[in-house]
Amino acid sequence: MPPPPNTSELLRTERSNSNINISAITALLDHNLTLRRREIESRIESCPTFSNLPNANLSRLELHSRALAKHIKMMEIARQLRISLDDCTSPEFVMLVQAVADDLPTLLHWGMFVPNIKCLCDDEQTKKWLPLCSDCRVVGCYAQTEMGHGSNVRGLETTAVYDKATESFTISTPTLTSTKFWPGSLGKSANTAMVIAQLIDSTGANRGVHNFIVPIRDLNTHSPLPGVTVGDIGSKLGYNKMDNGYLKLDRVVIPRENMAMRFSQINANGIYEKINLDDSTAKISYITMMQVRAQIVAMASTALAQACTISIRYSAVRTQGFDATGKKERQILDYVQQQHRLFGYLASSYTFFFSGRRIMENLKSIERGVLEGTRSVSKYQIGDLHASLSTLKAFCSTVAAEGIENCRRACGGHGYLVASGFPELLTTYQQNPTVEGDNYMLPQQTGKVLLKLLGAIIDGDGVDTVEAEWAGCDAFYLIDGIRRLSENSAAEVIESPEAAIDVALLLKILKRRSSRILVEVGTSINEGLGEGAELSEVWNDSLVQIARVSNAHAGVLLMQSFDDFLKSEELTGKELDAMKQLACLFGLMLVEKDAGDFQDILDKAGVDHVRKAVLLVLKKIRPNAVGLVDAFDFSDFRLKSVLGRYDGEVYEHLMKSCEADMMNRQQVIQPVVSLGGSGLTSKL
Ligand SMILES: Cc1cc2nc3c(=O)[nH]c(=O)nc-3n(C[C@H](O)[C@H](O)[C@H](O)COP(=O)(O)OP(=O)(O)OC[C@H]3O[C@@H](n4cnc5c(N)ncnc54)[C@H](O)[C@@H]3O)c2cc1C
């Protein structure tokens, strides 16, 4: 029998075989703030309050209260390190929250409540509420979803009825199904809710859904206020330190000034009015709200990076199956199938990073420009941003959710252990395809914008006008793509697998696919309407195809961002080569996965060459695989995985984690009749 593997030695060998400068890539991923990030991480990791042991053995209540203590300590450290908590999109805020490596129950306060105050409240209101939010005297949540309505916001049943005499709103959840259900931080932590309700003015007219700041708990005692029934919705698949809550409001009265009044208000005379804001203010607010989706794209990259770090390091130390000599076992990372399962997600993580960075920079630059009066933004650009963010949020969080599970499976049985780090990562992440717009709803948003563009090209004032309107937009490529569809019907010629390893070629193919599917879907919708069908029926019949339009557009945007990065010269030499390989793998795998979409764009030989090219690129990536996950620079504290440890001492720590488990604290476990406070009685 061969000797057992020296796992640490295997990882050391991987690292010495890699030819890339890892710290150069780390600096890039850290926005050149690596030292600052490590400073923040070391402050968190050296503080016992942030220990994540023994999270696996704590009850939900213990986990929640422990996470509250982490929140308080995190605020203290933020003050000491001069990190502002007011902008949840700032790199330092993100680094701090990620360093904690645990879910804080107050996260929705910073992530949703504060941005809502900033965007939707007028200057006087923000002056009042923001300072209260900054020191967490007010801890807020965002209460939109109800038990009976989520995606259909117009169907919400909660009402805010205005009374002219008392200049106040009465907020009610009149039915069981109108109970606010799901808002994070609502269950136990928040004392104030941003409640989304139908506004009924003093004439009895329904003015649609608006935002209202509703105090729900006493600021001093934290007890629910009169008319408020509030609690936690119970244990979930994961994310259980977070207190997602329910809320019933029985004629709760709030002053007129608690309606968020930047865009519309009930004035002192009780008249409902839309505020005639200059265009830019409205756009700034809209852009700020869009940042949450950009953050989800970035988070998809980080979550996949974490999953890849665990599975690729583990695959490098795990040996299974004899090599040709029969004397040595192979590292499972050397199986091409394992590479095919894992490296695509590695490539996706890097791809999502570049797209997330680009779209966030774009949003910030528009925001700055509009605020400073140096930049204007058209309705076409706003629509384009909305289309890009909707499709990227849906695409990236879907891939990440699937990817984490596939990385887990690629670790075999040990991936099923809590100690692998996967159960927590996986179950916490699985909410992302649902929150901030369900991933099957968002493609419809993208589809609407792109179909409007198609309509303008076909029926509008001509291509020149459309080109001027959409200049600088992400969807601009479609104008040319659609125009060329008729003249460019021949298949792309790919002469060999090597020739397919070409970012420019892959981008071209992806653009052709996106243009073609959009025209196909647009034509089919028009045909349906032409036959006299109702728009909503035709739309419903087209939903599956509209999702294809959105996905194809996402493929182009992602590949385009990667290509822009490759041309930026931020990296050079071997590191740039490694990035090119990842970009190609991402593009090739998109084609490989949806080969049917590329009929007519590629001939059969072309598709075969793409499949072979995937295998060639996997071989090129293999020597740098561990280096490319090391570059993410996750500390063991953040990774929380015995399988993904930096030192490779997997088996030693696997055993230690078993020995430390609660089940092994006593040899013989006695059957009990009464189980704790649950009131359950065993059937003994
Ligand atoms: C962990 C977590 C945290 C959350 N945090 C918050 C929070 O802080 N605040 C808050 O207000 N809410 C929160 N939510 C709620 C979340 O926003 C909603 O769950 C989400 O919007 C989906 O709504 P729904 O659950 O009602 O699903 P539904 O709208 O009932 O959707 C169910 C299914 O039907 C499909 N569907 C629905 N309508 C259509 C349509 N028109 N066309 C095609 N398909 C359709 C959807 O794609 C989906 O697959 C949270 C949810 C989770 C899981």
Side-chain angles (χ1 to χ4, degrees):
M1 294 298 281
N6 180 336
T7 52
S8 303
E9 186 56 37
L10 282 170
L11 269 190
R12 271 196 296 275
T13 308
E14 288 291 332
R15 288 176 179 129
S16 61
N17 286 347
S18 168
N19 65 3
I20 49 173
N21 175 354
I22 288 165
S23 50
I25 301 176
T26 304
L28 170 89
L29 298 172
D30 275 334
H31 312 277
N32 290 316
L33 290 169
T34 300
L35 286 180
R36 179 66 164 158
R37 176 177 57 75
R38 288 190 182 150
E39 181 194 8
I40 296 169
E41 287 179 356
S42 102
R43 281 301 292 277
I44 297 284
E45 292 178 21
S46 59
C47 172
T49 307
F50 293 103
S51 165
N52 281 318
L53 294 171
N55 268 6
N57 290 328
L58 297 183
S59 71
R60 191 162 172 234
L61 195 56
E62 287 165 327
L63 285 168
H64 176 75
S65 48
R66 185 166 145 146
L68 280 177
K70 292 184 184 185
H71 153 78
I72 293 165
K73 197 74 188 170
M74 186 189 86
M75 286 189 60
E76 190 185 313
I77 290 180
R79 265 192 300 275
Q80 288 162 0
L81 294 179
R82 297 184 190 288
I83 299 172
S84 163
L85 296 176
D86 291 340
D87 176 7
C88 66
T89 61
S90 78
E92 290 203 338
F93 180 98
V94 175
M95 285 172 181
L96 180 66
V97 170
Q98 289 184 344
V100 172
D102 208 1
D103 307 316
L104 299 183
T106 46
L107 219 54
L108 272 290
H109 170 71
W110 309 111
M112 287 298 284
F113 187 76
V114 172
N116 258 262
I117 297 275
K118 282 185 189 165
C119 301
L120 303 177
C121 290
D122 65 20
D123 292 348
E124 210 171 304
Q125 291 176 311
T126 46
K127 223 190 293 165
K128 171 181 169 184
W129 290 99
L130 281 185
L132 293 169
C133 291
S134 282
D135 63 7
C136 278
R137 190 151 164 69
V138 160
V139 177
C141 64
Y142 180 77
Q144 178 172 299
T145 308
E146 296 174 356
M147 195 184 272
H149 285 97
S151 305
N152 184 11
V153 180
R154 280 191 298 157
L156 294 179
E157 295 176 77
T158 305
T159 53
V161 180
Y162 187 64
D163 178 24
K164 202 168 155 183
T166 55
E167 289 198 31
S168 62
F169 291 100
T170 300
I171 316 278
S172 305
T173 51
T175 58
L176 175 63
T177 47
S178 67
T179 307
K180 292 292 177 189
F181 208 86
W182 273 113
S185 309
L186 167 67
K188 293 289 159 189
S189 317
N191 54 29
T192 309
M194 180 65 81
V195 171
I196 319 304
Q198 305 282 354
L199 165 54
I200 314 294
D201 72 13
S202 45
T203 68
N206 186 339
R207 301 296 189 163
V209 290
H210 288 74
N211 292 30
F212 300 87
I213 303 167
V214 183
I216 52 169
R217 289 188 169 98
D218 186 281
L219 290 194
N220 296 312
T221 64
H222 206 63
S223 298
L225 292 169
V228 172
T229 308
V230 62
D232 185 275
I233 61 171
S235 294
K236 296 154 296 203
L237 178 67
Y239 201 44
N240 278 313
K241 286 148 227 171
M242 175 59 82
D243 48 323
N244 293 86
Y246 66 84
L247 173 71
K248 291 182 187 181
L249 299 167
D250 182 9
R251 286 161 291 166
V252 171
V253 177
I254 57 166
R256 184 178 67 88
E257 300 77 39
N258 277 25
M259 170 180 170
M261 299 228 221
R262 189 181 282 282
F263 296 116
S264 51
Q265 61 167 246
I266 298 278
N267 69 21
N269 298 322
I271 310 288
Y272 175 83
E273 55 188 15
K274 289 252 177 223
I275 310 282
N276 197 7
L277 287 166
D278 64 300
D279 229 5
S280 55
T281 318
K283 281 166 186 163
I284 280 293
S285 297
Y286 192 62
I287 286 164
T288 311
M289 291 303 288
M290 286 203 252
Q291 290 177 5
V292 181
R293 287 191 186 149
Q295 276 179 303
I296 294 183
V297 176
M299 275 159 42
S301 164
T302 310
L304 267 184
Q306 202 168 330
C308 287
T309 304
I310 299 171
S311 53
I312 289 179
R313 279 188 191 153
Y314 178 65
S315 297
V317 303
R318 180 74 170 175
T319 53
Q320 200 82 222
F322 294 104
D323 67 6
T325 66
K327 294 191 177 137
K328 208 169 144 242
E329 281 201 286
R330 281 179 198 271
Q331 292 164 275
I332 58 172
L333 194 56
D334 282 332
Y335 290 108
V336 175
Q337 198 156 43
Q338 187 81 347
Q339 296 167 13
H340 194 262
R341 288 168 82 183
L342 298 180
F343 294 174
Y345 293 118
L346 180 63
S348 297
S349 173
Y350 275 94
T351 310
F352 299 171
F353 169 80
F354 294 118
S355 260
R357 182 178 76 161
R358 182 186 160 276
I359 203 144
M360 186 61 95
E361 280 172 1
N362 196 10
L363 285 174
K364 292 274 178 204
S365 130
I366 295 175
E367 189 180 53
R368 254 192 327 270
V370 175
L371 276 174
E372 290 162 4
T374 54
R375 189 166 171 181
S376 63
V377 52
S378 72
K379 68 174 181 185
Y380 302 100
Q381 286 167 315
I382 293 276
D384 181 63
L385 271 173
H386 178 59
S388 299
L389 279 164
S390 299
T391 191
L392 287 175
K393 185 271 169 181
F395 187 99
C396 299
S397 60
T398 298
V399 171
E402 288 167 3
I404 296 166
E405 168 63 4
N406 285 333
C407 287
R408 185 194 70 72
R409 290 186 203 167
C411 292
H414 297 336
Y416 196 63
L417 280 169
V418 165
S420 73
F422 276 114
E424 183 181 331
L425 176 62
L426 183 71
T427 54
T428 302
Y429 193 80
Q430 290 303 327
Q431 63 180 295
N432 282 281
T434 304
V435 299
E436 267 303 303
D438 176 89
N439 281 1
Y440 284 84
M441 298 296 295
L442 290 176
Q444 297 186 45
Q445 305 288 324
T446 305
K448 274 182 195 155
V449 175
L450 301 187
L451 286 165
K452 237 184 231 167
L453 169 61
L454 176 67
I457 295 169
I458 295 170
D459 309 322
D461 303 332
V463 170
D464 288 348
T465 312
V466 180
E467 275 186 346
E469 287 165 348
W470 289 76
C473 288
D474 286 345
F476 188 81
Y477 75 92
L478 285 165
I479 302 173
D480 192 44
I482 291 163
R483 189 171 41 201
R484 283 169 185 269
L485 272 184
S486 48
E487 66 192 59
N488 199 1
S489 50
E492 291 298 327
V493 178
I494 302 180
E495 285 180 342
S496 63
E498 287 77 9
I501 306 173
D502 178 342
V503 176
L505 172 76
L506 290 165
L507 193 49
K508 190 172 166 196
I509 294 170
L510 291 171
K511 285 180 178 176
R512 277 187 67 176
R513 167 179 72 154
S514 182
S515 309
R516 201 192 61 194
I517 295 181
L518 177 63
V519 170
E520 280 169 9
V521 175
T523 309
S524 137
I525 289 177
N526 278 339
E527 280 169 7
L529 292 175
E531 287 161 14
E534 283 288 322
L535 176 59
S536 71
E537 290 311 314
V538 177
W539 188 257
N540 191 11
D541 287 343
S542 310
L543 285 180
V544 175
Q545 304 307 330
I546 289 167
R548 285 177 65 222
V549 168
S550 174
N551 269 347
H553 187 50
V556 173
L557 302 185
L558 289 159
M559 203 67 198
Q560 184 69 61
S561 299
F562 213 145
D563 189 40
D564 292 345
F565 158 74
L566 294 173
K567 290 177 178 149
S568 71
E569 296 181 5
E570 283 179 81
L571 287 178
T572 52
K574 301 265 186 270
E575 294 72 44
L576 181 62
D577 291 344
M579 292 298 125
K580 277 185 191 155
Q581 289 155 9
L582 291 171
C584 286
L585 185 63
F586 180 78
L588 289 164
M589 283 189 149
L590 284 184
V591 181
E592 185 189 44
K593 180 167 166 278
D594 290 330
D597 275 1
F598 295 88
Q599 274 169 12
D600 304 336
I601 298 172
L602 295 179
D603 57 16
K604 187 181 171 310
V607 174
D608 284 347
H609 291 324
V610 165
R611 290 203 176 104
K612 285 182 185 143
V614 168
L615 302 179
L616 290 179
V617 181
L618 294 178
K619 268 204 175 62
K620 286 177 196 267
I621 291 174
R622 169 64 187 91
N624 286 321
V626 168
L628 286 164
V629 296
D630 281 352
F632 295 130
D633 205 24
F634 286 107
S635 63
D636 285 333
F637 177 87
R638 275 186 70 189
L639 220 47
K640 294 190 260 185
S641 167
V642 293
L643 304 187
R645 292 177 59 85
Y646 184 83
D647 62 12
E649 290 179 2
V650 167
Y651 298 122
E652 294 82 343
H653 287 269
L654 202 51
M655 209 56 234
K656 279 188 189 161
S657 92
C658 304
E659 286 158 5
D661 194 89
M662 279 237 306
M663 292 289 279
N664 295 321
R665 286 196 192 151
Q666 50 196 54
Q667 281 303 334
V668 181
I669 298 178
Q670 299 297 334
V672 289
V673 175
S674 166
L675 293 176
S678 67
L680 293 176
T681 306
S682 89
K683 290 194 176 134
L684 273 182

